[in-house]
Amino acid sequence: EIVLTQSPGSLSLSPGERVTLSCRASQSVNNRYLAWYQQKPGQAPRLLIYDASNRVPGFPDRFSGSGSGTDFTLTISRLEPEDFAVYYCQQYGSSPRTFGQGTKVEIK
Amino acid sequence: QVQLVESGGGLVKPGGSLRLSCVASGFTFSDYYMSWIRQAPGKGLEWVSYIKNSGSTIYYGDSVKGRFTISRDNTKNSLFLQMNSLRAEDTAVYFCARGHFGLEVWGQGTTVTVSS
Protein backbone atom coordinates (compact mmCIF):
# COMPACT_ATOMS: atom_id res chain seq x y z
CA GLU A 1 0.00 0.00 0.00
CA ILE A 2 1.22 3.47 -0.89
CA VAL A 3 1.17 5.76 2.14
CA LEU A 4 0.70 9.44 1.37
CA THR A 5 2.03 11.92 3.90
CA GLN A 6 0.85 15.50 3.64
CA SER A 7 2.62 18.45 5.17
CA PRO A 8 2.05 20.62 6.97
CA GLY A 9 -0.94 19.27 8.87
CA SER A 10 -2.38 22.76 9.12
CA LEU A 11 -1.42 26.33 8.50
CA SER A 12 -2.83 29.77 9.16
CA LEU A 13 -2.50 32.31 6.39
CA SER A 14 -3.94 35.62 5.30
CA PRO A 15 -5.84 36.27 2.06
CA GLY A 16 -3.44 37.14 -0.74
CA GLU A 17 -0.65 34.92 0.52
CA ARG A 18 0.94 32.13 -1.51
CA VAL A 19 0.69 28.59 -0.14
CA THR A 20 2.45 25.38 -1.07
CA LEU A 21 1.12 22.04 0.17
CA SER A 22 3.20 18.88 0.02
CA CYS A 23 2.20 15.27 -0.56
CA ARG A 24 4.93 12.66 -0.28
CA ALA A 25 4.38 9.02 -1.28
CA SER A 26 6.05 6.00 0.33
CA GLN A 27 6.73 4.63 -3.16
CA SER A 28 6.57 5.99 -6.66
CA VAL A 29 3.10 6.84 -7.96
CA ASN A 30 2.61 5.29 -11.39
CA ASN A 31 1.99 7.60 -14.33
CA ARG A 32 1.68 10.64 -12.03
CA TYR A 33 -1.76 9.30 -11.05
CA LEU A 34 -2.27 11.73 -8.20
CA ALA A 35 -5.26 13.92 -7.45
CA TRP A 36 -5.96 16.81 -5.09
CA TYR A 37 -9.35 17.50 -3.48
CA GLN A 38 -10.75 20.48 -1.65
CA GLN A 39 -13.22 19.89 1.19
CA LYS A 40 -15.16 22.55 3.09
CA PRO A 41 -17.02 21.86 6.36
CA GLY A 42 -20.16 19.80 5.91
CA GLN A 43 -19.52 19.26 2.22
CA ALA A 44 -18.27 16.43 0.04
CA PRO A 45 -14.75 16.73 -1.33
CA ARG A 46 -14.36 18.30 -4.77
CA LEU A 47 -11.80 17.11 -7.29
CA LEU A 48 -9.39 19.97 -7.93
CA ILE A 49 -6.37 18.47 -9.73
CA TYR A 50 -5.94 15.11 -11.51
CA ASP A 51 -2.93 13.41 -13.08
CA ALA A 52 -0.77 15.57 -10.79
CA SER A 53 -1.10 18.80 -12.76
CA ASN A 54 -4.41 18.98 -14.64
CA ARG A 55 -6.81 21.45 -13.09
CA VAL A 56 -10.52 20.62 -13.18
CA PRO A 57 -12.62 23.16 -15.07
CA GLY A 58 -14.31 25.52 -12.68
CA PHE A 59 -11.32 26.02 -10.45
CA PRO A 60 -9.37 29.23 -11.05
CA ASP A 61 -5.82 29.24 -12.38
CA ARG A 62 -4.40 30.33 -9.03
CA PHE A 63 -4.48 26.60 -8.23
CA SER A 64 -1.71 24.49 -9.73
CA GLY A 65 -0.31 21.02 -9.19
CA SER A 66 3.12 19.61 -9.90
CA GLY A 67 5.38 16.71 -9.13
CA SER A 68 6.16 13.14 -10.05
CA GLY A 69 7.51 9.97 -8.52
CA THR A 70 7.12 10.38 -4.78
CA ASP A 71 6.90 14.16 -4.37
CA PHE A 72 3.88 16.25 -5.33
CA THR A 73 2.84 19.81 -4.61
CA LEU A 74 -0.35 21.86 -4.69
CA THR A 75 0.21 25.60 -4.95
CA ILE A 76 -2.33 28.37 -4.46
CA SER A 77 -0.73 31.53 -5.79
CA ARG A 78 -2.91 34.05 -3.94
CA LEU A 79 -5.31 32.85 -1.30
CA GLU A 80 -8.90 33.99 -1.62
CA PRO A 81 -11.40 33.76 1.27
CA GLU A 82 -13.18 30.84 -0.42
CA ASP A 83 -9.94 28.80 -0.54
CA PHE A 84 -9.84 28.17 3.20
CA ALA A 85 -10.56 24.46 3.43
CA VAL A 86 -8.96 21.05 3.91
CA TYR A 87 -6.94 19.70 0.98
CA TYR A 88 -6.36 15.99 0.42
CA CYS A 89 -4.07 14.22 -2.01
CA GLN A 90 -5.00 10.78 -3.37
CA GLN A 91 -3.14 8.28 -5.54
CA TYR A 92 -4.80 6.02 -8.07
CA GLY A 93 -1.73 4.50 -9.66
CA SER A 94 -2.13 1.29 -7.70
CA SER A 95 -4.57 -0.51 -5.45
CA PRO A 96 -5.48 0.10 -2.76
CA ARG A 97 -6.24 3.70 -3.66
CA THR A 98 -5.07 5.85 -0.76
CA PHE A 99 -5.54 9.36 0.54
CA GLY A 100 -3.24 11.60 2.48
CA GLN A 101 -4.37 12.72 5.92
CA GLY A 102 -5.15 16.23 4.71
CA THR A 103 -3.84 19.76 5.19
CA LYS A 104 -6.13 22.34 6.76
CA VAL A 105 -5.69 25.88 5.46
CA GLU A 106 -7.12 28.33 7.98
CA ILE A 107 -7.61 32.07 7.97
CA LYS A 108 -5.08 33.91 10.09
CA GLN B 1 -27.37 17.95 -13.95
CA VAL B 2 -24.92 15.27 -12.89
CA GLN B 3 -25.93 14.08 -9.44
CA LEU B 4 -25.41 11.28 -6.95
CA VAL B 5 -27.80 10.82 -4.03
CA GLU B 6 -27.01 8.40 -1.20
CA SER B 7 -29.47 6.93 1.27
CA GLY B 8 -29.75 4.13 3.78
CA GLY B 9 -27.59 5.40 6.61
CA GLY B 10 -28.65 5.29 10.23
CA LEU B 11 -27.95 4.02 13.72
CA VAL B 12 -27.15 0.33 14.04
CA LYS B 13 -25.82 -1.85 16.86
CA PRO B 14 -22.42 -3.52 16.63
CA GLY B 15 -22.72 -6.72 14.63
CA GLY B 16 -25.70 -5.38 12.70
CA SER B 17 -26.20 -4.72 9.00
CA LEU B 18 -27.12 -1.82 6.74
CA ARG B 19 -27.54 -1.42 3.01
CA LEU B 20 -26.55 1.88 1.45
CA SER B 21 -27.86 3.02 -1.92
CA CYS B 22 -26.69 5.65 -4.36
CA VAL B 23 -28.85 6.79 -7.27
CA ALA B 24 -27.17 8.49 -10.20
CA SER B 25 -28.65 10.96 -12.66
CA GLY B 26 -27.47 13.24 -15.43
CA PHE B 27 -24.93 10.84 -16.95
CA THR B 28 -24.75 7.34 -18.44
CA PHE B 29 -24.26 5.35 -15.25
CA SER B 30 -23.29 2.14 -17.06
CA ASP B 31 -20.26 3.86 -18.61
CA TYR B 32 -18.49 4.46 -15.30
CA TYR B 33 -16.70 2.73 -12.48
CA MET B 34 -18.23 3.72 -9.16
CA SER B 35 -16.71 3.95 -5.69
CA TRP B 36 -17.61 4.21 -2.01
CA ILE B 37 -15.45 6.39 0.22
CA ARG B 38 -15.99 7.04 3.92
CA GLN B 39 -14.98 9.68 6.42
CA ALA B 40 -15.03 9.04 10.14
CA PRO B 41 -16.04 12.00 12.32
CA GLY B 42 -13.29 14.63 12.28
CA LYS B 43 -11.01 12.35 10.26
CA GLY B 44 -9.71 11.98 6.72
CA LEU B 45 -10.95 10.03 3.72
CA GLU B 46 -10.77 6.26 3.28
CA TRP B 47 -11.46 4.42 0.03
CA VAL B 48 -13.84 1.57 0.84
CA SER B 49 -14.64 -0.13 -2.46
CA TYR B 50 -14.99 0.30 -6.20
CA ILE B 51 -16.77 -1.62 -8.94
CA LYS B 52 -16.25 -1.66 -12.68
CA ASN B 53 -19.07 -0.43 -14.91
CA SER B 54 -19.90 -4.03 -15.88
CA GLY B 55 -19.58 -5.27 -12.32
CA SER B 56 -16.86 -7.71 -13.34
CA THR B 57 -14.07 -6.10 -11.29
CA ILE B 58 -14.43 -5.22 -7.62
CA TYR B 59 -11.98 -3.93 -5.05
CA TYR B 60 -12.35 -3.76 -1.25
CA GLY B 61 -10.17 -2.05 1.30
CA ASP B 62 -8.64 -4.37 3.87
CA SER B 63 -10.69 -2.87 6.70
CA VAL B 64 -13.99 -3.97 5.12
CA LYS B 65 -13.00 -7.06 3.12
CA GLY B 66 -15.26 -10.01 3.91
CA ARG B 67 -17.87 -7.81 5.62
CA PHE B 68 -18.98 -5.35 2.93
CA THR B 69 -20.30 -6.12 -0.56
CA ILE B 70 -20.52 -3.59 -3.37
CA SER B 71 -22.97 -4.10 -6.23
CA ARG B 72 -24.76 -2.13 -8.89
CA ASP B 73 -27.91 -2.21 -10.99
CA ASN B 74 -27.25 -0.40 -14.26
CA THR B 75 -30.92 -0.66 -15.24
CA LYS B 76 -31.80 1.46 -12.21
CA ASN B 77 -28.70 3.72 -12.24
CA SER B 78 -27.99 2.52 -8.72
CA LEU B 79 -24.97 1.58 -6.64
CA PHE B 80 -25.20 -0.36 -3.37
CA LEU B 81 -23.07 -1.18 -0.38
CA GLN B 82 -24.20 -4.07 1.82
CA MET B 83 -22.51 -3.72 5.20
CA ASN B 84 -22.53 -6.67 7.59
CA SER B 85 -20.86 -7.35 10.94
CA LEU B 86 -20.64 -3.62 11.57
CA ARG B 87 -18.17 -2.30 14.11
CA ALA B 88 -17.85 0.97 15.98
CA GLU B 89 -14.94 1.91 13.73
CA ASP B 90 -17.26 1.77 10.69
CA THR B 91 -19.00 4.91 11.99
CA ALA B 92 -18.57 7.48 9.24
CA VAL B 93 -20.16 9.50 6.49
CA TYR B 94 -20.28 7.28 3.42
CA PHE B 95 -19.95 8.95 0.03
CA CYS B 96 -20.54 7.41 -3.35
CA ALA B 97 -18.43 8.84 -6.16
CA ARG B 98 -18.07 8.43 -9.89
CA GLY B 99 -14.88 6.83 -11.12
CA HIS B 100 -11.98 4.94 -9.62
CA PHE B 101 -9.14 7.25 -10.61
CA GLY B 102 -9.77 10.89 -9.80
CA LEU B 103 -13.28 11.06 -8.36
CA GLU B 104 -14.96 13.82 -10.29
CA VAL B 105 -18.50 13.55 -8.94
CA TRP B 106 -19.50 12.95 -5.30
CA GLY B 107 -22.78 12.55 -3.50
CA GLN B 108 -23.60 14.50 -0.36
CA GLY B 109 -23.02 11.46 1.85
CA THR B 110 -25.08 9.34 4.23
CA THR B 111 -24.19 8.92 7.90
CA VAL B 112 -23.70 5.50 9.47
CA THR B 113 -23.41 5.30 13.26
CA VAL B 114 -22.53 2.00 14.89
CA SER B 115 -23.25 2.13 18.60
CA SER B 116 -24.99 0.11 21.30
Side-chain angles (χ1 to χ4, degrees), chain A residues 4 6 21-24 29-38 45-56 64-67 72-74 87-93 97-100, chain B residues 45 47 100-104 106:
Chain A
L4 299 178
Q6 292 186 241
L21 307 182
S22 173
C23 176
R24 180 159 291 177
V29 176
N30 294 330
N31 300 312
R32 302 177 75 230
Y33 281 164
L34 187 113
W36 289 92
Y37 298 84
Q38 179 192 69
R46 292 176 62 197
L47 179 65
L48 168 57
I49 298 285
Y50 64 95
D51 294 352
S53 60
N54 294 303
R55 188 175 58 252
V56 171
S64 62
S66 63
F72 297 87
T73 298
L74 174 68
Y87 292 86
Y88 293 95
C89 59
Q90 175 239 321
Q91 67 80 24
Y92 45 93
R97 312 306 196 217
T98 49
F99 290 90
Chain B
L45 301 165
W47 206 307
H100 73 303
F101 276 14
L103 301 169
E104 65 266 33
W106 294 64

Side-chain angles (χ1 to χ4, degrees), chain B residues 9-31:
Chain B
L11 175 63
V12 61
K13 290 182 169 53
S17 298
L18 274 179
R19 189 189 195 214
L20 306 184
S21 300
C22 170
V23 177
S25 58
F27 64 97
T28 304
F29 181 73
S30 58
D31 284 349

